[in-house]
Amino acid sequence: MSGFDENESKLLRKAKENPFVPVGIAGFLAIVGYRLMKMKSRGDTKMSVHLIHMRVAAQGFVVGAMTVGVLFSMYKDYFAKPKGDDK
């Protein structure tokens, strides 16, 4: 049972270090859930095309969240430093 606690605390620690990872996961799950619900009303669109659009949208959201996370991290490290930090 201690292995479960260690993994859970590791996940929480990683989420605190980089908050855009949980945002990417939540966005991915939201897009997939929405597109699965919308599958009933897809009209005459083939199933494979609908699934490809769902995959591209979900991957795009995750890549966008990762990009924003990297840019935010770079901003914090290089531009938002206090002027007294130069050693």
Side-chain angles (χ1 to χ4, degrees):
M1 197 68 169
S2 66
F4 178 75
D5 294 337
E6 291 173 5
N7 290 336
E8 184 179 347
S9 63
K10 183 178 179 182
L11 177 65
L12 292 174
R13 183 174 40 88
K14 290 289 185 181
K16 287 178 184 176
E17 290 174 5
N18 191 356
F20 291 97
V21 171
V23 170
I25 292 171
F28 175 84
L29 293 174
I31 289 172
V32 169
Y34 173 74
R35 295 296 291 208
L36 286 175
M37 286 187 341
K38 197 174 173 183
M39 191 179 295
K40 293 178 188 174
S41 63
R42 71 180 188 270
D44 59 350
T45 306
K46 288 184 177 181
M47 174 72 84
S48 62
V49 173
H50 183 75
L51 292 175
I52 288 171
H53 289 169
M54 178 176 56
R55 179 185 63 88
V56 168
Q59 282 180 333
F61 187 88
V62 171
V63 169
M66 288 172 48
T67 303
V68 169
V70 167
L71 291 175
F72 181 70
S73 175
M74 287 175 59
Y75 174 77
K76 281 192 334 187
D77 291 344
Y78 296 111
F79 297 112
K81 276 188 176 179
K83 297 203 186 258
D85 258 359
D86 296 335
K87 290 183 180 179

